[in-house]
């Protein structure tokens, strides 16, 4: 299981050339607004290009979501050692970020039902109002504000969390689950037409990110050789 660190900790690891820390999953939190009490689907901005409270930026143009779409699960507080509490039923690129729509597991689901129901009700009632992405940095630099600018990264998951970091990431839309039934049935008959399919997400972007990923692996080897 991958360990999680904040972007600030990742930035410190880059400066100190801590190779072990560079392999961990980095997380960043984002705020949403209170929700309609009768809603079944929750749409969040999961990341955007804003400079957050920690002076960090995750560039949405460099976020590779291809593998995430093959297993679009939503976690509670980045706990990838437990079963997911929901799934991302839609993920799409918007003006300056990405937005994802979440469907939670039913309340009577084995194992995760209570956690899923807690998150659903707490979001509806405004007791919690944040999501957070877990990602693997592939290319990055120190920005002028003293934080990290992550120009290339791989989305691993996103989670419901208690504390936000990005003050500009807000609730985009709330839908009744029934509204999407017809569309879901149509997509099941034509699986390549959905807006959240891996084959439709920026193929040229993926090629670019793969090149950056290879360069990062080369850089890590160089760092390890200097530390010996």
């Amino acid at each position: 299981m991958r360990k999680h660190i904040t972007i600030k900790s990742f930035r410190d690891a880059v400066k100190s050339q801590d190779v072990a820390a560079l392999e961990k999953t980095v997380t960043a939190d984002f705020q949403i607004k209170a929700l309609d009490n009768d809603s079944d689907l929750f749409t969040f901005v999961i990341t955007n290009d804003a400079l957050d409270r920690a002076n960090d930026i995750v560039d949405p143009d460099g976020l590779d979501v291809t593998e995430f779409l093959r297993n679009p699960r939503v976690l509670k507080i980045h706990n990838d050692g437990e079963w997911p509490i929901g799934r991302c039923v839609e993920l799409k690129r918007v003006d300056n970020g990405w937005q994802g729509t979440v469907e939670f597991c039913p309340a009577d689901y084995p194992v995760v039902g209570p956690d899923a129901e807690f998150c659903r009700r707490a979001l509806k009632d405004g007791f919690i109002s944040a999501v957070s992405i877990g990602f693997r940095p592939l290319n990055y630099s120190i920005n002028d504000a003293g934080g990290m600018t992550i120009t290339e990264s791989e989305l691993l998951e996103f989670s419901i969390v208690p504390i936000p970091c990005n003050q500009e990431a807000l609730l985009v839309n709330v839908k009744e689950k029934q509204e999407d039934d017809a569309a879901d049935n149509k997509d099941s008959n034509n699986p390549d037409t959905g807006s959240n399919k891996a084959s439709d997400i920026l193929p040229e972007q993926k090629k670019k990110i793969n090149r950056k990923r290879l360069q990062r692996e080369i850089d890590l080897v160089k760092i390890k050789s200097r530390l010996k």
Side-chain angles (χ1 to χ4, degrees), residues 83-84 105-114:
W83 298 109
C105 295
D108 59 353
Y109 230 59
V111 183
V112 300

Side-chain angles (χ1 to χ4, degrees), residues 2 10 19-25 136 216-217 220 224:
R2 298 175 65 90
F10 183 79
V19 176
L22 298 183
E23 295 297 328
K24 296 180 179 179
T25 297
R136 188 162 70 99
R216 176 177 176 273
E217 297 298 332
L220 282 174
K224 290 178 180 178

